[in-house]
């Protein structure tokens, strides 16, 4: 318990979380503070490239093992299965329609790459190493949840067609292409490549993450201000409970795979996080009747801040306790 | 100067549907259109601004086509097939153009 509190305190008082809090507070106070759209896009490109590249270098240094393939399979299964659990929970806890519940459930099977990036930063700050290929697991977990949500809807007799454009947008969305592409570049170029560009992708990383999370805080705060009214108590409770349930499944998968303590923590983070970029876009195309203010506010305004502030230290502490690291 | 009657169709639609709409218009023979970003607005779901959105799921764009009156039905049929289930507005106004052969 003491370890959890220490980690939580350190995390809450880190520049990363305080930057996020500043953004939320500014948005809630209706400040005109904003990060230009193009700058925010550039920051996210930088973070995705850096995290992918470093993951590839790590795989290059430590070599490939069977765990990579198994971790990918585990990630895909988790992504496909978690929406089914989320859907059942939503039906019990909330009065959401089948359509809204399926759309929300899809978000909780997919992942938030920003939460993943923040978690890797916390691990690095604590000197905890993790499997570099967790970046590839993150990419693999983006899409299966969307298929599960559409299956849930089709079971209710409302068949939805996935057109080829939607497939392309999901599987080749910019974030996945950049993450996987930079991972491969890091893998191919290894430590030598990292040395060449480390002054760009290692040293400034946390500063850039602070600015990016400031923007995320602004977006989350605006979302809460605008959409907070649509979230009833049961829906709000789901936004906190579901990450804990997801993280438990991630924990079980990580332990079964024999991942390192850092790897288990990241698997928990991935399973606990909820998408707010790829899945909302897919839902707007495939399930346009579902209410975006529910799933976006829940994912971005409730689950994302929860994971960022309390979830990550909790997952790291639990992974540490159960792996004996 | 001689002018010619035409129809100006303005379709405000979710940004995520833009390529689907413009492809449908092209297939229907409407090859001339302009796409404008929408910076913000207010509708049945409340007020929003582009700066406060993340990703392409919530943004809107406006597709503007100016066509000859006799081609209007084909355009609307193609557009409606795409925008039917989505948030958006389709409006048509009468206008006049200088060079009819371009439309």
């Amino acid at each position: 318990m003491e370890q959890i509190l220490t980690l939580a305190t350190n995390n809450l008082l880190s520049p990363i979380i305080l930057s996020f809090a500043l953004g939320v507070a500014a948005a809630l106070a209706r400040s005109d503070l904003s990060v230009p759209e193009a700058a925010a896009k550039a920051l996210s490109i930088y973070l995705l490239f850096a995290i992918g590249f470093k993951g590839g270098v790590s795989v290059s240094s430590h070599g490939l093992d069977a765990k990579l393939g198994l971790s990918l399979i585990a990630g895909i299964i988790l992504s496909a299965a978690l929406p089914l659990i989320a859907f059942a929970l939503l039906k019990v806890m909330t009065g959401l329609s089948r359509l809204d519940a399926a759309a929300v459930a899809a978000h909780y099977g997919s992942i938030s790459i920003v939460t993943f990036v923040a978690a890797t930063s916390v691990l690095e700050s604590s000197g905890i190493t993790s499997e570099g290929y967790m970046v590839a697991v993150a990419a693999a977990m983006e899409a299966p949840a969307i298929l599960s949500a559409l299956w849930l809807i089709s079971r209710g007799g409302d068949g939805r067609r996935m057109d080829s454009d939607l497939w392309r947008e999901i599987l080749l969305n910019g974030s996945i292409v950049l993450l996987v592409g930079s991972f491969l570049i890091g893998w191919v170029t290894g430590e030598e490549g990292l040395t060449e560009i480390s002054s760009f992708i290692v040293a400034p990383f946390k500063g850039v993450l602070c600015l990016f999370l400031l923007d995320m805080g602004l977006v989350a705060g605006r979302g809460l201000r605008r959409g907070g009214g649509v979230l009833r108590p049961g829906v709000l409770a789901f936004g906190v409970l579901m990450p804990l349930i997801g993280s438990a499944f991630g924990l079980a998968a990580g332990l079964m795979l024999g991942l390192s303590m850092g790897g288990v923590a990241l698997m928990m983070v991935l399973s606990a996080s909820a998408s707010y970029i790829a899945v909302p876009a897919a839902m707007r195309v495939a399930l346009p009747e579902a209410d975006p203010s529910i799933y976006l506010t829940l994912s971005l305004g409730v689950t994302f801040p929860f994971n960022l502030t309390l979830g990550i230290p909790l997952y790291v502490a639990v992974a540490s306790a159960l792996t004996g690291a | 100067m001689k002018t010619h009657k035409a129809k100006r169709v303005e379709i405000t639609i979710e940004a995520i549907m833009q390529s689907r709409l413009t492809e449908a218009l092209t297939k229907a023979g409407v090859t001339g259109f302009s796409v404008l970003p929408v910076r913000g607005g207010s509708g049945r779901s409340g007020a929003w601004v582009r700066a406060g959105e993340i990703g392409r799921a919530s943004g809107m764009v406006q597709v503007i086509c100016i066509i000859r009156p006799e081609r209007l039905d084909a355009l609307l049929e193609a557009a409606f097939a795409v925008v039917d289930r989505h948030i958006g507005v389709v409006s048509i106004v009468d206008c006049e153009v200088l060079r009819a052969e371009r439309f």
Side-chain angles (χ1 to χ4, degrees):
Chain A
M1 190 64 196
E2 194 181 326
Q3 189 195 1
I4 294 176
L5 285 175
T6 308
L7 264 168
T9 307
N10 290 343
N11 186 47
L12 286 172
L13 296 178
S14 69
I16 294 168
I17 302 303
L18 291 176
S19 300
F20 178 76
L22 172 63
V24 173
L28 291 178
R30 297 173 187 267
S31 163
D32 65 353
L33 174 63
S34 69
V35 176
E37 195 180 338
K41 180 82 181 164
L43 294 175
S44 76
I45 287 173
Y46 170 87
L47 291 172
L48 287 169
F49 183 83
I51 200 79
F53 192 94
K54 286 189 276 188
V57 171
S58 172
V59 170
S60 157
S61 303
H62 297 102
L64 274 180
D65 57 35
K67 281 185 196 167
L68 189 155
L70 292 173
S71 298
L72 283 173
I73 293 168
I76 291 168
I77 292 171
L78 280 169
S79 175
L82 286 174
L84 310 183
I85 296 161
F87 184 76
L89 205 57
L90 283 161
K91 296 306 284 180
V92 173
M93 291 179 67
T94 71
L96 291 182
S97 68
R98 186 179 184 83
L99 202 65
D100 283 329
V104 171
H107 290 68
Y108 284 81
S110 190
I111 59 115
S112 151
I113 198 67
V114 183
T115 312
F116 178 78
V117 171
T120 57
S121 179
V122 168
L123 291 178
E124 280 176 17
S125 300
S126 309
I128 301 167
T129 56
S130 60
E131 288 78 358
Y133 52 72
M134 290 307 291
V135 171
V137 177
M141 288 179 75
E142 283 256 29
I146 297 166
L147 296 179
S148 294
L150 297 182
W151 179 74
L152 283 168
I153 289 298
S154 68
R155 278 184 67 227
D158 186 4
R160 299 299 167 113
R161 203 167 51 85
M162 290 274 288
D163 62 34
S164 59
D165 286 342
L166 186 54
W167 273 114
R168 196 190 64 243
E169 282 162 14
I170 293 169
L171 298 176
L172 292 178
N173 82 65
S175 300
I176 292 184
V177 170
L178 185 57
L179 198 61
V180 174
S182 58
F183 174 80
L184 293 174
I185 294 171
W187 189 359
V188 169
T189 58
E191 288 289 347
E192 204 175 311
L194 182 63
T195 308
E196 283 180 39
I197 60 170
S198 65
S199 58
F200 177 67
I201 69 162
V202 178
F205 186 81
K206 277 194 183 169
V208 174
L209 185 56
C210 284
L211 281 181
F212 187 71
L213 283 174
L214 171 71
D215 183 49
M216 290 297 295
L218 287 165
V219 173
R222 287 187 200 115
L224 273 178
R225 208 178 67 209
R226 209 173 52 209
V230 302
L231 299 185
R232 282 166 285 179
V235 180
L236 269 173
F238 171 84
V240 176
L241 182 59
M242 189 58 210
L244 298 174
I245 294 172
S247 70
F249 279 89
L251 172 69
L255 291 176
M256 277 194 286
L257 289 164
L259 297 179
S260 68
M261 182 243 158
V264 171
L266 288 180
M267 191 64 104
M268 291 175 77
V269 167
L270 288 173
S271 305
S273 67
S275 170
Y276 41 78
I277 298 177
V279 177
M283 290 300 107
R284 287 313 301 150
V285 175
L287 303 177
E289 297 88 353
D291 186 348
S293 62
I294 296 174
Y295 54 70
L296 268 177
T297 310
L298 195 56
S299 163
L300 191 56
V302 179
T303 300
F304 177 65
F306 170 75
N307 277 330
L308 207 57
T309 52
L310 300 174
I312 291 174
L314 177 67
Y315 309 145
V316 172
V318 170
S320 170
L322 292 184
T323 55
Chain B
M1 187 171 286
K2 182 168 175 55
T3 59
H4 306 269
K5 290 192 183 304
K7 297 282 185 184
R8 178 185 164 104
V9 182
E10 296 176 353
I11 305 169
T12 306
I13 190 169
E14 293 166 279
I16 193 76
M17 298 302 294
Q18 178 194 319
S19 60
R20 289 171 175 80
L21 175 61
T22 52
E23 277 171 27
L25 292 178
T26 305
K27 276 185 190 165
V30 181
T31 52
F33 50 78
S34 301
V35 181
L36 309 179
V38 177
R39 295 188 60 184
S42 183
R44 290 167 66 185
S45 309
W48 67 280
V49 287
R50 180 70 194 99
E53 303 297 334
I54 185 164
R56 294 178 63 232
S58 319
M60 307 285 285
V61 295
Q62 193 170 58
V63 179
I64 299 172
C65 326
I66 297 176
I67 54 165
R68 293 180 196 183
E70 63 269 24
R71 298 179 68 187
L72 180 63
D73 282 346
L75 183 155
L76 291 179
E77 273 176 30
F80 192 71
V82 178
V83 304
D84 182 22
R85 291 162 55 216
H86 291 265
I87 298 168
V89 177
V90 181
S91 64
I92 305 149
V93 291
D94 292 323
C95 66
E96 299 203 1
V97 296
L98 293 181
R99 295 168 292 188
E101 72 280 4
R102 296 197 172 201
F103 302 89

